[in-house]
Amino acid sequence: MSDVDVNEPCLGCAIVSGATRPVGGVLARGGGLVLHGVASPSPLPGWVVLSSARHVRALYDLDDEAARELGPFAARVMRAQREVLGAEHAYAFAIGDVLRHFHLHLVPRYRDTPQRLWGRGAFEARPEDARPEAELEAAARALAAALAR
């Protein structure tokens, strides 16, 4: 584990405010939520994160608007991961043990995704599994365009 503390200052707040840009940047905003690229190397194009616009610890702290929008927003993104990017399946993970700013990982799985990276295994990817930044940016742009329609 890295010695970098992602909570002081809060990485989630930096991303949703635009002070920090993860690969893919911010793809969409709405209902108190911000969709953005994952803030670490990714083995899967289209791995995105749905974060609260306000700094809250977890799902149980979301205001009513964000809580109402979370399911429909996540479903739209996961459908786009399948329809636009060709994912066979998509996972949703809200763990919150490292970054204490609500965020929901929306992780696509493709036909050629190694089984060791299925489900929670995506978080155990090795450095050599990371996809090129240009590929991740292209997937993010495709998702953003699909969500804007």
Side-chain angles (χ1 to χ4, degrees), residues 9 26 41 48 56 79 104 106 108-109 121 126 137 144-145:
V26 170
V48 293
V56 297
R79 281 193 295 271
L104 179 69
L106 301 174
R109 187 188 80 215
R126 300 182 280 236
E137 288 282 348

Side-chain angles (χ1 to χ4, degrees), residues 5-149:
D5 184 353
V6 295
N7 294 292
E8 292 296 330
C10 177
L11 176 61
C13 288
I15 292 171
V16 301
S17 74
T20 296
R21 183 189 187 278
V23 173
V26 170
L27 287 68
R29 294 178 181 269
L33 301 166
V34 179
L35 182 69
H36 58 83
V38 66
S40 59
S42 175
L44 301 163
W47 180 339
V48 293
V49 179
L50 192 51
S51 294
S52 56
R54 288 186 325 106
H55 181 82
V56 297
R57 171 70 174 91
L59 177 64
Y60 45 77
D61 290 322
L62 292 176
D63 62 28
D64 289 344
E65 178 187 21
R68 273 191 306 273
E69 183 59 21
L70 181 63
F73 199 153
R76 285 192 308 273
V77 173
M78 294 168 91
R79 281 193 295 271
Q81 287 170 319
R82 296 182 68 233
E83 294 166 6
V84 176
L85 301 180
E88 288 190 326
H89 186 55
Y91 305 100
F93 299 98
I95 303 166
D97 288 334
V98 176
L99 178 61
R100 294 183 299 274
H101 180 123
F102 175 73
H103 60 289
L104 179 69
H105 289 265
L106 301 174
V107 184
R109 187 188 80 215
Y110 301 93
R111 177 175 305 196
D112 63 349
T113 301
Q115 193 164 2
R116 66 182 173 76
L117 297 178
W118 288 20
R120 180 74 176 84
F123 291 89
E124 306 303 323
R126 300 182 280 236
E128 62 269 19
D129 294 323
R131 302 303 277 257
E133 194 169 303
E135 182 181 3
L136 302 176
E137 288 282 348
R141 283 191 305 275
L143 283 176
L147 294 168
R149 289 185 225 137

